[in-house]
Amino acid sequence: MSDTTGKRALRPATAMVHGGTMRSGFGETSEALFLTQGFVYDTAEAAEARFKGDEPGFIYSRYSNPTTRMFEERMMLLEGAEDARATASGMAAVAAALQCQVKAGDHIVAARALFGSCRYVIETVLGRAGVESTFVDGRDLDQWRAALRPNTKVAFLESPTNPTLEVIDIAAVAEIVHSVGARLVVDNVFATPIWQKPLTLGADVVIYSATKHIDGQGRCLGGVILSSKDWIDENLHDYFRHTGPSLSPFNAWTLLKGLETLPLRVRAQTDSAARIADHLAGSGKIARVLYPGREDHPDHAIARRQMGAGSTLVAFELSGGKDAAFRFSNALEVIKISNNLGDAKSLITHPATTTHKNLAPEVRAELGIGDGLLRLSAGLEDVEDLLEDLEAALAAV
Ligand SMILES: *Cc1c(COP(=O)(O)O)cnc(C)c1O
């Protein structure tokens, strides 16, 4: 196997095509798919040396696999991280990244606007293990400061948030969290690795659901945890090997090929999302349009500072509540109703009755998730077709 990354630092689009490639002796053009559980050794001595760590090489695909490692290496180049571990889903990444660094008696602070399963991991799974938690309004820095305790080990946030696209000041939260020696973990799914680099903003660990933009074509689940080599060696390395949230080589191969087109896709989807946000805001028929790239977004100044562009998602509120939101969604023809995002296909979600239905009504109200709120993930279709689809749906409300 040979690594063909070369010596010069590559720009992101180039790194996503070539980075991390390990060619086998056949010299294949496309990355090879190593569908193997294990590896064989020439001699018993070679097996002993590999287990002792005296010789490099793969041991077992729960630990690592050549195809999975290519995906991790390419993600490390994109994120500017020293090391990474790929996981079977985004939630496996969140659960592993949090659980590997806490014990009973520790405390976690998290922004309250979270993907529902993330909240379950923190409150219920880690709560059962004796880890305490506090949820704060992520945009209010005083709430972060007030929530910190001597036993606070980890802070967790996502930005922009799901589904209302609030933007949290990652650098400011990192500074607050580090003042008590805790670590900041950022779920960067909504921002994408193209538009936001949490590690350079001061975060210690970044996680992705690779299911979203990184695959980007609706095929397989996956996740990844990225950090410094020290953090991974000290916290994640053994936890990962022994609990086995590993990504399958087949899915790693799919995601690796997804990375080749990620910069192009995210740019195109962001351009469409921005066009859609402006179009909806200008239509006069929408009560509220939420898009971090627009100047009327409440957190626009922070978004400009820490993100390279808006987002591939737009949220908007129809004044007729659930009835209007349902009629609007049902009238769409090109845009599909789905709870997923980051796909080549444009997808629309009614959070109050799907992704966020388990929240108490008062919590939903606190998070700004009204009955008329819709979340749109812009795909790769011609934006004119999307605008026409939205116009026709508006006429039906
Ligand atoms: C989808 C998603 C997850 C979970 O990822 P899966 O791959 O579905 O397990 C976590 N965080 C955010 C922000 C997500 O959008």
Side-chain angles (χ1 to χ4, degrees):
M1 301 255 286
S2 62
D3 187 329
T4 57
T5 313
K7 292 186 191 65
R8 260 181 298 130
L10 301 173
R11 291 169 183 82
T14 316
M16 290 310 95
V17 174
H18 294 285
T21 301
M22 292 185 278
R23 289 212 160 76
S24 79
F26 293 114
E28 64 280 355
T29 310
S30 177
E31 298 75 3
L33 168 51
F34 291 93
L35 265 188
T36 182
Q37 298 164 343
F39 302 85
V40 297
Y41 313 95
D42 287 342
T43 61
E45 287 79 6
E48 182 185 33
R50 204 168 293 179
F51 269 77
K52 273 166 99 180
D54 291 346
E55 269 179 23
F58 295 95
I59 293 174
Y60 188 52
S61 286
R62 169 151 41 81
Y63 297 180
S64 192
N65 166 285
T67 309
T68 309
R69 191 59 191 162
M70 285 192 262
F71 170 64
E72 290 168 348
E73 297 264 358
R74 201 167 281 180
M75 281 302 307
M76 285 152 57
L77 286 169
L78 184 57
E79 201 65 38
E82 291 173 2
D83 207 355
R85 292 291 183 276
T87 57
S89 69
M91 281 321 303
V94 173
L98 295 177
Q99 193 150 34
C100 77
Q101 57 177 331
V102 291
K103 59 181 188 315
D106 287 344
H107 176 239
I108 294 185
V109 186
R112 68 185 182 194
L114 279 190
F115 190 71
S117 301
C118 297
R119 199 171 172 123
Y120 177 84
V121 167
I122 293 170
E123 255 182 336
T124 307
V125 179
L126 296 178
R128 276 200 298 249
V131 177
E132 300 161 0
S133 57
T134 306
F135 291 88
V136 299
D137 177 344
R139 290 171 305 173
D140 184 344
L141 297 178
D142 285 335
Q143 287 194 26
W144 287 101
R145 286 187 196 98
L148 294 179
R149 303 180 194 164
N151 59 337
T152 304
K153 271 287 183 56
V154 182
F156 182 74
L157 64 85
E158 61 183 79
S159 179
T161 63
N162 180 24
T164 53
L165 308 179
E166 290 174 2
V167 179
I168 298 174
D169 188 337
I170 295 173
V173 173
E175 197 182 317
I176 292 167
V177 163
H178 290 157
S179 72
V180 294
R183 296 195 187 92
L184 176 61
V185 179
V186 173
D187 178 337
N188 206 38
V189 168
F190 272 51
T192 81
I194 303 298
W195 299 136
Q196 183 166 277
K197 309 272 188 219
L199 296 178
T200 67
L201 294 166
D204 302 280
V205 181
V206 178
I207 69 100
Y208 287 99
S209 164
T211 312
K212 311 295 166 55
H213 304 85
I214 292 172
D215 176 19
Q217 289 150 87
R219 299 164 297 193
C220 59
L221 300 179
V224 60
I225 305 166
L226 300 119
S227 186
S228 65
K229 186 163 187 328
D230 281 351
W231 183 88
I232 289 194
D233 285 350
E234 280 163 29
N235 297 279
L236 186 61
H237 181 81
D238 289 349
Y239 176 96
F240 188 90
R241 285 187 163 205
H242 300 308
T243 60
S246 342
L247 180 64
S248 88
F250 182 83
N251 287 0
W253 180 82
T254 312
L255 298 170
L256 187 59
K257 301 307 284 180
L259 284 177
E260 293 186 339
T261 54
L262 179 76
L264 283 174
R265 286 185 286 106
V266 168
R267 263 168 231 283
Q269 288 169 258
T270 303
D271 288 348
S272 291
R275 277 282 302 277
I276 289 168
D278 288 345
H279 185 88
L280 292 175
S283 75
K285 294 177 186 161
I286 308 273
R288 191 164 67 118
V289 175
L290 294 163
Y291 187 67
R294 278 178 57 83
E295 275 176 21
D296 60 1
H297 187 282
D299 311 318
H300 178 66
I302 302 168
R304 272 189 70 166
R305 224 173 31 240
Q306 71 184 21
M307 295 177 73
S311 164
T312 65
L313 293 124
V314 187
F316 53 97
E317 180 120 38
L318 296 168
S319 30
K322 175 181 165 182
D323 190 44
F326 273 34
R327 259 190 292 148
F328 182 89
S329 305
N330 291 337
L332 293 166
E333 289 178 355
V334 178
I335 300 167
K336 305 300 175 203
I337 299 169
S338 174
N339 45 286
N340 207 1
L341 62 101
D343 201 279
K345 295 175 172 62
S346 291
L347 304 173
I348 197 149
T349 311
H350 185 245
T353 53
T354 60
T355 52
H356 292 71
K357 77 164 175 35
N358 288 337
L359 294 179
E362 58 276 13
V363 178
R364 268 207 300 276
E366 204 177 74
L367 295 175
I369 306 170
D371 287 341
L373 187 82
L374 289 167
R375 186 197 74 195
L376 173 64
S377 169
L380 289 171
E381 302 93 340
D382 189 313
V383 69
E384 301 299 338
D385 286 322
L386 299 177
L387 295 176
E388 280 174 23
D389 206 29
L390 292 164
E391 269 306 312
L394 274 177
V397 176

